[in-house]
Amino acid sequence: MELGVFGLNAKATLDPAVTARLARRAEELGYGSWWAGEHVVLPSPRSPDSPMEPTDPILDPLTHLAYVAAVTERLELGTGIVILPQRNPVVLAKQAASLDVLSGGRLLLGVAAGFLEPEMTAVGVPLKDRGRRTDEYIDAMTALWTEERPVFEGRYAAFRDVDAHPRPARPGGPRILVGGHSPAAFRRAVARGHGWIGNGSSPEDLAAHLAGLKQAAADVERPPRLGRLEITFMQVNPVTVDAPAARRYAALGVDRLLVYPLPLENPADVLAYLEEHARLPR
C-alpha cells in the first residue's frame, strides 16, 4: 500500500515556498503521491453541504500540480478531484496531457460529478445532468488521447477533423480515477476508470464502498484495457490514521491511502503530521 498526501493546495499550505518545502519533504519521507482538491467557487454564506468557508483560499489543482511537478522528481500528481462537468473536456484533455508530459508521466486524473449546486450554477452547468456529462467527458478525453483520428459524437461534447498533440506521456493517457460513493459513481468507476477514489471515517466505511463497487462490477462491463480497478482511499473525521487502521486498509486491498493534514492552519503542524504518518505500516 502506497501513502499519499491530500489537500495542500489550500489555506496556509498554498504559499509557493511552503509547497516546495512540504512536497520535497514528502518525497524524502517516501510518500508516493500528492493530491490537490478543487472548488472553483464556494457558496457564500457557507451552506451546510459546503466543505469550506467561502473565504478559504484554494488553488486550481492543475496549476498547483504543475508547480509541484517542477520541485519534485518522483511523486505522482493527483487531482482529488477535478469536478469534471464544470470543465470543457477538450481543453481539460490538453491541460492534462501537457501536465503529464511536463511531469514525465506522473499525472493521476481523479474526476467526479460534483455536488454543490451554487458552484455548478456559477459555472453554467445544470446540476441535474452532471452524471451524463461526466460519462461523456471521460469518453471524449480518452478519444483525444488514444485515437489516431479522434472523433466523438455526444450530447454535450462533439468533435471530428481535429487532433491534439503532444499526446500524454503515459500510453493511453493519464490514469483516470473516478470519485464518489453513489451506485452511479461506482458503475462509472468500473466502466470508465482505471481506479476509484473515495473517503470515509473508518475501514468499515471503506468495506461498504467496496461492496458497492463489487455490485457495480456485476452490473456493468469493464473494458479489458482498464485492467484491475485500483483503490484509493482517504480517511476523514478523524484525519489521524493509526497503525491498526492502516493495516486494516492494506488488508482490504487499498492501493493508495491518502492522509489529510487538517486543519491546514500552520505549515509546521502539517510537516509534523507528515513525518508522523510516514511511519505507518504499508
Side-chain angles (χ1 to χ4, degrees):
M1 184 174 68
E2 174 202 298
L3 293 179
V5 181
F6 176 83
L8 303 191
N9 62 318
K11 299 176 75 172
T13 55
L14 59 73
D15 177 85
V18 172
T19 295
R21 183 165 66 252
L22 291 173
R24 288 167 176 153
R25 184 57 179 150
E27 197 166 63
E28 291 172 356
L29 290 168
Y31 287 91
S33 54
W34 180 282
W35 296 77
E38 172 172 67
H39 284 289
V40 178
V41 293
L42 290 158
S44 182
R46 183 176 183 175
S47 61
D49 56 348
S50 177
M52 302 174 69
E53 294 291 341
T55 53
D56 286 338
I58 179 170
L59 296 174
D60 173 83
L62 294 172
T63 304
H64 170 81
L65 292 175
Y67 181 81
V68 174
V71 299
T72 59
E73 297 179 355
R74 299 179 303 279
L75 283 174
E76 288 193 294
L77 310 163
T79 57
I81 48 69
V82 163
I83 306 169
L84 189 52
Q86 297 181 174
R87 301 275 186 151
N88 180 302
V90 177
V91 176
L92 181 59
K94 170 62 77 172
Q95 293 171 318
S98 299
L99 179 51
D100 200 52
V101 168
L102 289 173
S103 67
R106 289 190 276 157
L107 178 60
L108 301 168
L109 189 64
V111 302
F115 65 95
L116 280 177
E117 191 278 332
E119 183 175 20
M120 293 279 190
T121 297
V123 179
V125 177
L127 188 70
K128 63 179 178 60
D129 63 359
R130 67 193 188 279
R132 290 189 295 271
R133 285 181 185 269
T134 300
D135 290 342
E136 273 200 18
Y137 289 3
I138 293 173
D139 295 345
M141 292 191 298
T142 300
L144 281 168
W145 293 332
T146 62
E147 293 181 6
E148 183 177 355
R149 293 180 175 82
V151 175
F152 187 79
E153 295 290 341
R155 179 177 178 182
Y156 304 105
F159 50 80
R160 64 173 55 249
D161 300 324
V162 297
D163 210 338
H165 289 265
R167 297 293 168 85
R170 201 183 305 231
R175 297 187 73 74
I176 293 177
L177 285 72
V178 175
H181 308 116
S182 67
F186 293 145
R187 291 191 295 270
R188 183 174 299 119
V190 170
R192 290 178 164 85
H194 297 93
W196 170 81
I197 180 170
N199 62 64
S201 298
S202 66
E204 289 74 23
D205 283 352
L206 173 61
H209 297 325
L210 294 176
L213 288 165
K214 183 176 180 180
Q215 179 59 54
D219 294 339
V220 298
E221 182 179 354
R222 181 167 178 79
R225 66 175 180 80
L226 294 175
R228 182 183 65 85
L229 185 73
E230 297 175 359
I231 302 298
T232 299
F233 187 76
M234 179 173 67
Q235 180 176 297
V236 293
N237 192 28
V239 296
T240 298
V241 183
D242 59 23
R247 292 190 185 96
R248 291 169 69 191
Y249 287 126
L252 285 167
V254 170
D255 295 285
R256 298 182 190 87
L257 179 64
L258 309 187
V259 297
Y260 191 7
L262 286 174
L264 305 181
E265 301 291 352
N266 185 326
D269 292 341
V270 171
L271 178 58
Y273 177 106
L274 294 181
E275 291 180 340
E276 176 187 356
H277 283 72
R279 297 190 289 268
L280 286 174
R282 311 180 196 186

